[in-house]
Amino acid sequence: MIRILLIGLALLAGAATANAAPIAPQLGEAHAERLVAPDGRAMAVERGFLRVPERRDRAVPEGVIELAVMRLRWADAPSGIVNMVLAGGPGDSGTGLLSGLSAARAAALLDLMGGDVIAFDQRGSGRSRPSLGLPERTPLPLEAEGSPALWLPVMADAARAAARRFAANGVRLASYTSAENADDVDAVRRAFGYATMHLWGRSYGSHLALATVRRHPASVARLILVSPEGPDHTYKLPAQTDAVIARIAERAGTPELPATMRTVIARLRREPVTLEVAGPDGVARRVTIGAFDVQWLTAQALGDPRTLATLPAAYREMAAGDFRRMGVVALAARSQWRLGSGMKYMMDLASHASPARLRRIERQARTALLGNAINFPLMGLRDAWPAVDLGAAYRKPVRSAVPTLILVGDLDARTPVENAREIARGLSHAHAVVVENAAHQFDLFGDPVLQPVLRAFVAGRTVATRRVRVREIGFQR
């Protein structure tokens, strides 16, 4: 019965998009299961695949993509409200956010959001077909210190080879942009028969949510943007990373951290360090660590509170001449490096950056602690992929009166507080909440400090809170 209902809804939904002739999204391979909450309420979990055009910017849309979709709802009390959860990355699995939830956690999520929940694997990601996943490794050289000059040719060769394979298999990589992705978001809404949606976007998901509200303004009733990335925020500003590092140092009780970092990096620039490191297979290998190795690995560590917590101790050790910890990380990073997802590169490179932002990045990178490592290797691989530039109009601030809640961590170096402020200026009904002690990743749905804020917003009540404090990161000193 559910299979027939879902397919019927899909066939009835007209697919008028910003630049395409009407089509009918087709939802197939649908099946459902039931979960029972601890209090006895029954939930329905529905899965299927939605067929959408690969490319809509033609008089006749080209190709077909099958999006893996998933809906969670109360079985006996269907809601007219849908919460569309947009995964980040780009390239993370949307259905993975809902798959495997216990009955208790699924019920808590439905209660928190106050309506049905839909997630889908964006084009090229997760279980959607075709997949642009690139899990194979591209090992980086160990015998010399790391540098963009040494590594980018290796990475670019891997990217060009991947692009050729995709083209040979009939994949139109030019179709993998946030504009097409935003049209997919609205197609999923229409396929399930909802008039409007609440969009929940985190990191790249917030970038996609903003693109969706611009292209389909009548379809979005509320926006929740977490760790926000605006239309011109794909490439990060090195000076903002420096500012976050200073806050991390203060919060960790190590105000000397930025100075220690500069000392270590300058020393490695003069004299790289070579040491033997045992890999995961137990085999010892020689690896040479230079300034860029440390800058790049630090930039990666800033996104996750678990690795972020190790920075003060790691730099203290290196300042004392002990590079064993960094050697293990450097060996793993180089020997296991992989492109990961062609979808990620195509989406990000199509969004690109305004000339003004590119100039700021270039200027700031000359003196920033990490140089431009925060944007490596993305910016350096633009010529290796057949990237489409969405253009200056795409990168302009989004203007909207849709009620919006923005949550941003004050220790987030990838989508810093400044992003939230810039985005909010274009949204007349935006309210930003700074989450103290939160980095780029934090527990959005499970933290009891955040739940009252989310509940109030989705219920339409006024949110007065401007700052909340979550549990402090356990820094290693």
Side-chain angles (χ1 to χ4, degrees), residues 236-251 254-262 265 269 294-296 298-299 302 308 311 315 357 360-375 410-418:
K236 318 308 176 189
L237 294 176
Q240 291 180 352
T241 303
D242 277 6
V244 172
I245 290 172
R247 284 199 290 273
I248 290 169
E250 177 185 358
R251 206 68 51 82
T254 55
E256 72 282 359
L257 178 60
T260 302
M261 291 174 65
R262 285 198 184 277
I265 292 166
R269 190 171 286 118
V294 172
Q295 290 174 313
W296 183 50
T298 300
L302 290 173
L308 175 60
L311 287 183
Y315 272 96
R357 191 169 182 89
R360 291 178 71 187
I361 291 170
E362 182 180 10
R363 183 175 65 253
Q364 293 175 10
R366 298 183 192 127
T367 57
L369 271 170
L370 303 183
N372 197 25
I374 195 74
N375 292 307
D410 72 341
L411 301 184
D412 187 347
R414 305 203 69 82
T415 54
V417 172
E418 290 82 359

Side-chain angles (χ1 to χ4, degrees), residues 46 68-72 83-87 93-98 117-121 188 192:
E46 302 157 352
V69 298
M70 183 173 178
R71 177 167 69 169
L72 175 67
N83 297 274
M84 189 83 71
V85 180
L86 305 179
S93 169
T95 62
L97 299 173
L98 300 184
V117 181
I118 292 178
F120 72 100
D121 292 341
V188 172
F192 281 95

Side-chain angles (χ1 to χ4, degrees), residues 53 232 275 356 361 466:
D232 198 20
L275 65 162
I361 291 170
R466 292 289 179 181

Side-chain angles (χ1 to χ4, degrees), residues 35-307:
L35 288 176
V36 179
D39 61 4
R41 292 177 295 170
M43 293 169 281
V45 183
E46 302 157 352
R47 295 179 175 85
F49 285 86
L50 177 67
R51 293 166 60 86
V52 297
E54 185 181 41
R55 192 162 186 175
R56 297 176 174 90
D57 61 346
R58 295 288 186 271
V60 178
E62 296 179 342
V64 173
I65 287 174
E66 294 179 306
L67 303 174
V69 298
M70 183 173 178
R71 177 167 69 169
L72 175 67
R73 64 180 181 85
W74 294 115
D76 301 323
S79 170
I81 299 172
V82 65
N83 297 274
M84 189 83 71
V85 180
L86 305 179
D92 294 347
S93 169
T95 62
L97 299 173
L98 300 184
S99 298
L101 286 179
S102 67
R105 287 181 64 87
L109 186 64
L110 285 174
D111 285 339
L112 174 66
M113 291 190 168
D116 304 345
V117 181
I118 292 178
F120 72 100
D121 292 341
Q122 296 159 27
R123 53 177 56 207
S125 69
R127 294 170 50 246
S128 290
R129 301 183 293 230
S131 169
L132 299 194
L134 295 167
E136 61 271 15
R137 296 176 183 176
T138 303
L140 303 174
L142 298 177
E143 66 277 3
E145 62 183 288
S147 70
L150 180 64
W151 290 351
L152 277 177
V154 177
M155 296 171 167
D157 284 347
R160 292 188 183 97
R164 288 193 296 269
R165 289 199 304 273
F166 288 134
N169 290 329
V171 175
R172 299 173 178 85
L173 286 175
S175 306
Y176 291 81
T177 70
S178 294
E180 291 285 359
N181 212 7
D183 290 349
D184 290 346
V185 174
D186 198 59
V188 172
R189 172 194 65 80
R190 286 183 286 104
F192 281 95
Y194 295 96
T196 59
M197 56 189 162
H198 295 177
L199 280 183
W200 297 67
R202 185 170 199 156
S203 192
Y204 168 75
S206 66
H207 183 96
L208 177 57
L210 289 166
T212 303
V213 79
R214 175 144 55 192
R215 293 176 70 83
H216 302 279
S219 299
V220 182
R222 285 185 175 269
L223 277 175
I224 300 92
L225 309 178
V226 183
S227 303
E229 179 184 290
D232 198 20
H233 294 159
T234 298
Y235 303 153
K236 318 308 176 189
L237 294 176
Q240 291 180 352
T241 303
D242 277 6
V244 172
I245 290 172
R247 284 199 290 273
I248 290 169
E250 177 185 358
R251 206 68 51 82
T254 55
E256 72 282 359
L257 178 60
T260 302
M261 291 174 65
R262 285 198 184 277
T263 299
V264 168
I265 292 166
R267 186 183 302 167
L268 286 171
R269 190 171 286 118
R270 295 191 305 269
E271 188 177 353
V273 172
T274 300
L275 65 162
E276 284 201 353
V277 180
D281 56 3
V283 177
R285 295 176 176 84
R286 290 172 65 84
V287 59
T288 299
I289 301 173
F292 185 74
D293 288 283
V294 172
Q295 290 174 313
W296 183 50
L297 293 171
T298 300
Q300 304 308 304
L302 290 173
D304 188 324
R306 296 167 299 181
T307 53

Side-chain angles (χ1 to χ4, degrees), residues 392-406:
Y394 177 86
R395 291 183 282 270
K396 289 182 178 179
V398 173
R399 308 292 180 187
S400 174
V402 170
T404 303
L405 176 68
I406 305 175

Side-chain angles (χ1 to χ4, degrees), residues 78 156 439 465:
T465 306

